[in-house]
Amino acid sequence: MTSDKVAVVTGGGSGLGRHITLALAGAGWRVFASGRRLETLKEAAALAPDEMVLPVVADVTDAGSVDALFAAVEERYGRLDLLVNNAGVFGPGGAVDEVSPEGWQSIVATNLTGSFLCARHAVRIMKAQDPQGGRIINNGSISAHTPRPGSVGYTATKHAITGLTKSISLDGRPYNIACGQIDIGNAATDMTASIATGAVQADGSVLPEPTFDARHAAEAVLYMAGLPLDANVQFLTITATTMPFIGRG
């Protein structure tokens, strides 16, 4: 059933973002699926109900590109009800003395600055629209709590996402803007494929880790998105039941 709710999902063409895009579209949301590759965005749109997903090429590390994305949202629908800040990269991996300044900046640009750039536009639109308000859901990851070995850039940016989530949540209160965070551990996507065959543990061993169907994470996002704006899931953690997260190390 189609609604008048409008969403933006970054990194919406592949992996977890595709699952989120399709879950929202299937529930009647009109979704702007953004990403850097038009081909994968079109593939995602083709899997959704007709005209429920609009693929938009955008690079969250580029302020001008993000400007154009949200200008397109305003031009087409005149409002925005949901932003899912999902776009992210893991690497380059390494300990703090192994990651180059350029590598560090590349991770920060996508995972943190990209989320900030999108959130600032979303909040601006949500403040101005009538009825006022909306929701932002940030993809934090298990690494917002506990690092993997050799992941200083990814872990630092995901911890920072938690601060971004809290600040937006607090600053959004007067404007009926809710902000929450989903922290996902080992959802089965291309990005996590290697985990199932062997992941480095804190003691240096390499062990396969369990994964779970990514659609369950997308359904969790759909639940968060479907709440009335006077209710908010501030933080939600979903993992493979037996992954080494509780007691990691």
Side-chain angles (χ1 to χ4, degrees), residues 146-163:
T146 306
R148 289 185 177 278
S151 66
V152 65
Y154 187 74
T155 298
T157 54
K158 291 304 185 178
H159 274 63
I161 287 293
T162 299

Side-chain angles (χ1 to χ4, degrees), residues 91-230:
V96 69
D97 61 322
E98 298 170 336
V99 177
S100 70
E102 295 78 16
W104 170 268
Q105 290 295 342
S106 70
I107 302 169
V108 171
T110 299
N111 295 0
L112 182 56
T113 303
S115 294
F116 159 76
L117 291 173
C118 291
R120 68 186 291 271
H121 276 289
V123 167
R124 175 185 57 78
I125 295 170
M126 291 170 182
K127 280 184 177 181
Q129 64 195 14
D130 185 19
Q132 189 179 61
R135 189 181 306 275
I136 296 171
I137 300 173
N138 294 323
N139 185 343
S141 165
I142 291 299
S143 290
H145 303 271
T146 306
R148 289 185 177 278
S151 66
V152 65
Y154 187 74
T155 298
T157 54
K158 291 304 185 178
H159 274 63
I161 287 293
T162 299
L164 182 68
T165 297
K166 290 178 178 179
S167 288
I168 295 170
S169 184
L170 180 59
D171 294 343
R173 287 179 185 176
Y175 308 101
N176 207 28
I177 297 171
C179 184
Q181 180 171 313
I182 185 166
D183 298 321
I184 302 165
N186 288 10
T189 66
D190 291 344
M191 189 174 178
T192 61
S194 62
I195 288 173
T197 56
V200 178
Q201 306 298 304
D203 63 1
S205 62
V206 178
L207 298 172
E209 293 187 12
T211 60
F212 70 99
D213 193 324
R215 67 184 174 87
H216 299 309
E219 289 165 357
V221 172
L222 183 61
Y223 163 70
M224 296 169 72
L227 290 171
L229 289 176
D230 60 358

Side-chain angles (χ1 to χ4, degrees), residues 33-115:
S34 75
R36 292 179 295 180
R37 294 177 293 167
L38 182 59
E39 181 180 350
T40 57
L41 294 169
K42 285 183 174 180
E43 289 172 357
L47 296 171
D50 286 348
E51 298 184 356
M52 296 305 294
V53 174
L54 181 65
V56 180
V57 174
D59 181 351
V60 298
T61 70
D62 184 316
S65 184
V66 174
D67 291 349
L69 167 62
F70 286 88
V73 174
E74 290 186 281
E75 181 179 355
R76 183 157 182 134
Y77 292 116
R79 67 175 294 107
L80 176 65
D81 300 284
L82 174 67
L83 164 65
V84 182
N85 266 325
N86 170 71
V89 294
F90 181 78
V96 69
D97 61 322
E98 298 170 336
V99 177
S100 70
E102 295 78 16
W104 170 268
Q105 290 295 342
S106 70
I107 302 169
V108 171
T110 299
N111 295 0
L112 182 56
T113 303
S115 294

